C-alpha cells in the first residue's frame, strides 16, 4: 500500500487550482502528523514492515486517497486513445499523484489516483501516449502503485527491429554492462542481429496481462561488444520518460484480437 508521506507530494499547488489550496494545506498538515507517528513506530519496531506500520498505512490510504483524487485534475488521454496498439482496449484514465520510490535513474514507483474502486487490479499494464509505462504492483481502494520501466520489478518480453527478433528488457543494472541512468538492457533470446535505432515493442503476455503485444518499449541506442555471446545485449532508451510521466492509462481490458482461423494441412 502507498506510504502516507507521499501525500505531501500531491499536486494541490498546481497553477490555476488556488480555490483548493486550503484543502491542500490541510492535507499537508495531516500528513506531517501521521509521518511523525510512522517514523516513531518504525523506530520502535526496528524498521519498516511491522504490523502497526502496515495498519497505519492502510488506514492512511483510505483517508488520504479520496483527498488526493479531489485535489488532482483529471487526465487528458486523447493521443493515447488513438494509439493503434491499443485499439479495442478498455483504458482507465489516471494521473500520477506521488513518487513512491526513487532510484539512481529516476523514479522507480509512482502512485496513481485510481484504485480497486475503479476496477484496478495488480499486474495490469500502465501506458501513456508514448508507450509502456510499467505495471500495477499494489492496489488500495483509491490509489494504486505502479512499478516503472527501468525498475527491477519490470521485465518484459519484446520483439526487436523489423525482423521481430525475440528478447527481453529489464533494469539497466543487468546485462553485459551497467547502464547509465535512464537506459535499460535488452537481451536477445535467439540468434539475431540488433542494430542502433531498432524499435523495441512488447511481445505480449498470455491473456494480455500484464503486457499486450505491440506496445512501444524503446529504441536501441548502443550494442554491447560481446562477439562470443550467442545472444547479443544492447542498451535501450525507454519510449516513456519516467521522470516526467503524468497522465497515464491503466489497461482494464487488453486490446481485442481477431479470432485465428484454422487451416487444413496438405491442401
Amino acid at each position: 500500500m502507498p506510504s502516507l508521506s507521499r501525500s505531501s507530494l500531491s499536486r494541490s499547488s498546481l497553477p490555476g487550482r488556488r480555490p483548493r489550496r486550503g484543502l491542500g494545506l490541510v492535507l499537508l498538515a495531516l500528513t506531517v502528523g501521521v509521518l511523525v507517528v510512522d517514523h516513531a513506530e518504525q523506530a520502535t519496531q526496528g524498521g519498516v514492515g511491522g504490523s502497526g506500520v502496515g495498519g497505519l498505512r492502510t488506514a492512511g490510504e483510505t483517508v488520504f486517497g479520496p483527498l488526493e483524487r479531489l485535489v488532482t485534475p483529471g487526465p487528458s488521454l486523447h493521443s493515447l486513445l488513438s494509439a493503434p496498439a491499443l485499439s479495442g482496449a478498455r483504458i482507465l484514465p489516471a494521473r500520477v499523484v506521488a513518487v513512491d520510490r526513487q532510484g539512481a535513474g529516476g523514479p522507480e514507483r509512482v502512485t496513481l489516483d485510481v484504485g480497486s474502486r475503479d476496477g484496478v487490479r495488480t499486474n495490469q499494464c500502465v501506458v501513456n501516449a508514448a508507450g509502456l509505462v510499467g505495471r500495477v504492483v499494489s492496489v488500495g481502494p483509491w490509489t494504486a502503485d505502479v512499478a516503472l520501466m527501468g525498475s527491477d520489478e519490470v521485465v518484459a518480453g519484446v520483439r526487436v527491429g523489423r525482423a521481430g527478433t525475440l528478447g527481453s528488457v529489464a533494469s539497466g543494472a543487468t546485462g553485459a554492462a551497467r547502464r547509465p541512468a535512464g537506459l535499460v538492457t535488452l537481451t536477445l533470446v535467439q540468434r539475431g542481429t540488433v542494430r542502433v535505432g531498432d524499435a523495441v515493442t512488447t511481445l505480449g503476455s498470455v491473456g494480455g496481462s500484464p503486457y499486450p503485444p505491440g506496445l512501444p518499449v524503446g529504441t536501441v541506442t548502443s550494442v554491447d561488444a560481446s562477439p562470443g555471446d550467442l545472444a547479443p545485449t544492447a542498451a535501450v532508451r525507454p519510449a516513456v520518460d519516467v521522470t516526467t510521466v503524468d497522465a497515464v492509462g491503466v489497461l482494464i481490458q487488453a486490446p481485442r484480437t481477431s479470432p485465428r482461423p484454422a487451416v487444413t494441412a496438405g491442401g
Side-chain angles (χ1 to χ4, degrees):
M1 300 299 297
S3 171
L4 292 177
S5 60
R6 295 170 293 162
S7 300
S8 60
L9 297 173
S10 61
R11 302 170 183 264
S12 58
S13 58
L14 286 173
R17 306 199 65 79
R18 291 183 180 178
R20 294 179 177 176
R21 182 173 296 174
L23 178 59
L25 293 175
V26 172
L27 176 60
L28 178 61
L30 291 173
T31 302
V32 171
V34 177
L35 180 61
V36 171
V37 177
D38 192 6
H39 279 293
E41 188 162 354
Q42 287 183 33
T44 302
Q45 303 261 353
V48 179
S51 60
V53 175
L56 183 63
R57 289 176 176 170
T58 299
E61 198 280 336
T62 301
V63 172
F64 293 123
L67 293 179
E68 283 184 330
R69 293 162 68 109
L70 183 60
V71 300
T72 304
S76 175
L77 297 175
H78 297 297
S79 54
L80 174 61
L81 295 176
S82 62
L86 297 176
S87 178
R90 289 185 60 212
I91 302 173
L92 177 67
R95 191 177 292 278
V96 174
V97 293
V99 175
D100 183 5
R101 192 171 67 207
Q102 189 82 9
E108 295 184 344
R109 272 199 189 194
V110 295
T111 298
L112 305 183
D113 62 347
V114 292
S116 60
R117 293 171 181 260
D118 306 294
V120 179
R121 301 290 182 267
T122 57
N123 225 29
Q124 288 176 327
C125 184
V126 179
V127 296
N128 72 2
L132 178 63
V133 173
R135 66 181 181 90
V136 177
V137 293
S138 178
V139 181
W142 298 97
T143 61
D145 281 0
V146 175
L148 301 176
M149 173 58 66
S151 74
D152 292 338
E153 297 176 278
V154 176
V155 179
V158 296
R159 291 189 180 275
V160 184
R162 292 184 178 180
T165 306
L166 299 180
S168 65
V169 166
S171 165
T174 62
R178 193 170 188 85
R179 306 295 177 198
L183 299 180
V184 295
T185 293
L186 163 69
T187 303
L188 297 187
V189 298
Q190 66 175 144
R191 283 183 176 273
T193 302
V194 56
R195 298 181 176 86
V196 172
D198 278 350
V200 181
T201 59
T202 52
L203 172 64
S205 307
V206 176
S209 178
Y211 310 120
L215 289 178
V217 173
T219 305
V220 175
T221 59
S222 65
V223 180
D224 298 327
S226 52
D229 292 347
L230 294 177
T233 58
V236 172
R237 184 169 301 282
V240 175
D241 182 359
V242 296
T243 64
T244 60
V245 67
D246 184 11
V248 298
V250 180
L251 298 191
I252 300 299
Q253 180 179 318
R256 292 194 299 267
T257 57
S258 300
R260 182 176 301 170
V263 296
T264 303

